[in-house]
Amino acid sequence: MSQWSHEPPGYVCPFCEFLAGRDRVNDQRDVVLKTDRATAFVAPRWWPNNPGHVLVIPNEHYENIYELPAEFGHAVHDAVQEIAIALRTAYGCAGVSTRQHNEPAGHQDVWHLHVHVFPRYDGDDLYRSQALPGFVPQTEREPYAQRLLDYFAGRVESRTQAR
């Protein structure tokens, strides 16, 4: 355990459980992008005016940015960039915001590094609002995941056709 670790003893990481297919809240159908080192999925907690935001996590357990190996940091960043572009196209949003928290004072509440990628809309008041209570049902998340999956599938098809 490092000097920056805040995981309590016996902590069961929900993102590691998710990656292993054992999470009861996040469904693997929420995964919209997966590489050897990073996974992106539609988040189960939403903000009032920013539905369908995406979380990007490293595929191995690193609690925070302080000890994240460069190869995982680069993989997470690359996935964040791909998701940002996908959100702009698939959701038709006016922009995106990203944020990543470290330690309790930095408002981190899951002890596995993760980056939020929010679709942004004029007047959405993201930074003046709180997350909605509870988790959004899978049936409401699925259409957002499908829009992103369709975007990535179309990108692969257009690359194949260009050859």
Side-chain angles (χ1 to χ4, degrees):
M1 192 173 275
S2 80
Q3 64 179 324
W4 297 297
S5 181
H6 295 278
E7 291 180 12
Y11 182 68
V12 176
C13 176
F15 292 157
C16 290
E17 292 290 293
F18 171 69
L19 289 168
R22 294 188 299 261
D23 192 329
R24 289 173 287 141
V25 173
N26 295 305
D27 190 293
Q28 293 296 315
R29 291 175 291 171
D30 293 332
V31 173
V32 296
L33 181 67
K34 187 166 184 126
T35 68
D36 290 344
R37 293 189 172 124
T39 297
F41 59 97
V42 175
R45 291 186 65 207
W46 287 2
W47 274 248
N49 300 312
N50 309 88
H53 95 276
V54 174
L55 293 173
V56 179
I57 60 174
N59 290 345
E60 290 187 17
H61 185 81
Y62 297 102
E63 183 175 328
N64 51 47
I65 200 165
Y66 309 124
E67 295 179 345
L68 183 68
E71 62 272 14
F72 283 92
H74 292 296
V76 167
H77 175 80
D78 290 348
V80 165
Q81 182 181 35
E82 287 191 62
I83 292 298
I85 293 167
L87 289 177
R88 285 284 285 125
T89 303
Y91 290 9
C93 55
V96 299
S97 287
T98 62
R99 64 186 192 198
Q100 190 272 319
H101 307 280
N102 296 283
E103 300 185 271
H107 299 286
Q108 183 178 10
D109 59 359
V110 176
W111 310 118
H112 186 122
L113 182 126
H114 56 286
V115 179
H116 297 261
V117 187
F118 289 97
R120 296 301 307 272
Y121 305 93
D122 291 330
D124 66 13
D125 290 326
L126 174 65
Y127 292 115
R128 285 185 237 153
S129 63
Q130 298 286 326
L132 296 169
F135 295 111
V136 175
Q138 174 65 42
T139 55
E140 291 181 43
R141 296 190 312 260
E142 202 163 338
Y144 290 91
Q146 192 59 56
R147 287 161 75 181
L148 294 168
L149 289 167
D150 290 347
Y151 166 82
F152 287 118
R155 201 176 68 172
V156 168
E157 286 174 21
S158 58
R159 279 190 202 157
T160 304
Q161 291 171 356
R163 291 182 186 166

